[in-house]
């Protein structure tokens, strides 16, 4: 089982506008997209919450009842599925994210492990959006880890840059966290780590040796060699409409299922089998 690849589907994200892209918002839409991904080999569904009122689906929500409804709909559509809940927030107000984890007890939740200037420049040399700080101070990380410990949720340490990978080891060293370790190398954000397969061996040298790891590759068709290299090096795999809309041949997709089929093929080309939900629970040390 040690060589099996666990696949995560990032169903919708926080930045993708359902008026422009075919991302799910309602519990019914989330369940339908999750089922397509589940049938294609995904055992884990990474969920973001959106406001449910008409014309508000592009706005984030931290409503616990919305989280419960979406998780229930996904679990009913995908028996045994593992939920990976978002927690990403900028600024000092993140109680809603803590409440969602505490009240719904997902098996896994994102734990953004360090801060990043979240930037992008357009072709005309102007900012794509106003420069922002994605702030994840140690105190904020500790708050998330404390809540996750209370409800037996495993943190997935989101690492947007090389130094953040090293911070995770410090969290273990200082006793901030002592449970199963899972790194998520987020590659392709313009001001973070590039989506470059040649960077992976360095990241693997920096992570703690007992830890699971995966790659989130953000971009267009150029990200697929990175997915393939991740599969070859023994990493777990993630894709979905949060991360990309394009297959390796440049074709634009309309469903998460198409992306999961393609990333499952990466694993098989690397000679690896796809883990089912029960196997994924065992690999990640999930106890509930």
């Amino acid at each position: 089982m040690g060589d099996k690849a666990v696949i995560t589907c990032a169903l919708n994200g926080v930045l993708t506008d359902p008026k422009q892209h075919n991302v799910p918002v309602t519990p019914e839409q989330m369940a339908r997209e999750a089922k397509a991904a589940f049938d294609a080999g995904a055992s884990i569904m990474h969920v973001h919450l959106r406001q449910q009122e008409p014309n508000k689906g592009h706005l984030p929500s931290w409503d616990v009842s919305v989280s419960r409804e979406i998780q229930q709909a996904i679990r009913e559509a995908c028996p045994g599925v593992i939920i990976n809940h978002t927690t990403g927030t900028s600024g000092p107000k993140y109680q809603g994210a803590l409440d969602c984890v505490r009240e719904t007890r997902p098996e896994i939740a994102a734990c953004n492990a360090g801060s990043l200037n979240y930037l992008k420049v357009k072709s005309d040399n102007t900012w794509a959006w106003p420069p922002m700080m994605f702030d994840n101070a140690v105190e904020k990380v500790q708050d998330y880890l404390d809540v996750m410990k209370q409800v037996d949720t495993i943190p997935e340490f989101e690492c947007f840059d090389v130094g953040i990978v090293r911070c995770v080891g410090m969290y273990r060293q200082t006793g901030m966290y002592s449970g199963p370790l899972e790194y998520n190398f987020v590659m392709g954000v313009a001001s973070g780590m590039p989506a470059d397969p040649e960077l992976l061996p360095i990241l693997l040298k920096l992570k703690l040796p007992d830890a699971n790891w995966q790659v989130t590759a953000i971009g267009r068709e150029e990200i697929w060699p990175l997915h393939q290299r991740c599969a070859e090096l023994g990493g777990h795999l993630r894709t979905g409409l949060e991360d990309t809309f394009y297959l390796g041949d440049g074709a634009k997709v309309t469903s998460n299922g198409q992306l999961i089929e393609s990333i499952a093929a990466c694993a098989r080309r690397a000679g690896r089998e796809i883990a089912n939900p029960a196997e994924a629970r065992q690999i990640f040390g999930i106890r509930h």
Side-chain angles (χ1 to χ4, degrees):
M1 184 182 298
D3 198 41
K4 289 197 172 182
V6 178
I7 297 179
T8 296
C9 180
L11 289 166
N12 57 351
V14 68
L15 298 175
T16 42
D17 189 340
K19 294 179 180 178
Q20 298 177 339
H21 304 287
N22 192 37
V23 294
V25 171
T26 67
E28 295 78 15
Q29 293 168 348
M30 293 287 279
R32 183 176 65 246
E33 281 292 298
K35 180 66 163 60
F38 189 77
D39 289 346
S43 293
I44 302 175
M45 303 298 160
H46 178 61
V47 300
H48 285 254
L49 311 176
R50 306 296 190 89
Q51 295 185 24
Q52 300 294 300
E53 294 79 8
N55 299 315
K56 295 288 185 70
H58 61 294
L59 298 174
S61 170
W62 295 108
D63 187 326
V64 171
S65 64
V66 172
S67 179
R68 282 202 182 101
E69 290 173 15
I70 285 174
Q71 290 190 53
Q72 180 179 349
I74 291 173
R75 292 187 193 280
E76 289 176 355
C78 309
V81 75
I82 298 163
I83 298 294
N84 177 330
H85 204 293
T86 183
T87 62
T89 58
S90 294
K93 296 180 180 179
Y94 52 93
Q95 188 62 48
L98 296 175
D99 290 344
C100 281
V101 173
R102 181 185 293 109
E103 298 301 322
T104 70
R105 302 171 62 95
E107 292 92 341
I108 300 172
C111 184
N112 293 283
S115 299
L116 182 78
N117 282 317
Y118 208 88
L119 312 173
K120 186 176 181 179
V121 176
K122 296 188 294 186
S123 58
D124 63 359
N125 297 323
T126 62
W127 296 116
W129 53 73
M132 61 169 285
M133 167 64 77
F134 185 28
D135 58 307
N136 295 287
V138 171
E139 295 80 10
K140 185 176 182 180
V141 173
Q142 185 70 75
D143 287 343
Y144 282 123
L145 292 175
D146 289 346
V147 167
M148 293 179 200
K149 183 177 181 180
Q150 291 171 19
V151 297
D152 213 14
T153 293
I154 292 176
E156 178 185 87
F157 288 101
E158 316 290 333
C159 301
F160 289 80
D161 217 339
V162 175
I164 299 176
V165 177
R166 303 177 75 188
C167 289
V168 175
M170 297 180 196
Y171 302 153
R172 169 67 69 83
Q173 188 176 0
T174 58
M176 287 177 60
Y177 178 70
S178 60
L181 269 180
E182 179 188 351
Y183 290 78
N184 181 20
F185 303 139
V186 183
M187 306 172 73
V189 173
S191 54
M193 292 188 288
D196 184 347
E198 293 185 11
L199 186 55
L200 283 180
I202 297 172
L203 300 177
L204 296 183
K205 280 172 43 177
L206 296 176
K207 80 172 185 68
L208 292 182
D210 61 338
N212 288 299
W213 64 281
Q214 70 174 17
V215 166
T216 290
I218 298 172
R220 297 170 75 109
E221 59 268 25
E222 75 279 357
I223 64 176
W224 287 95
L226 174 58
H227 285 310
Q228 187 61 54
R229 190 66 180 135
C230 174
E232 292 165 357
L233 292 174
H236 299 294
L237 301 169
R238 166 181 146 156
T239 191
L241 295 176
E242 175 175 4
D243 303 338
T244 190
F245 301 110
Y246 296 91
L247 298 175
D249 63 1
K252 190 171 183 179
V253 301
T254 57
S255 171
N256 283 286
Q258 296 163 280
L259 292 169
I260 299 303
E261 287 174 0
S262 188
I263 208 165
C266 290
R268 295 189 180 103
R269 282 194 296 270
R272 300 174 64 192
E273 296 181 11
I274 308 302
N276 63 36
E279 292 167 335
R281 288 172 185 273
Q282 185 174 345
I283 289 167
F284 286 121
I286 294 169
R287 296 183 293 182
H288 69 93

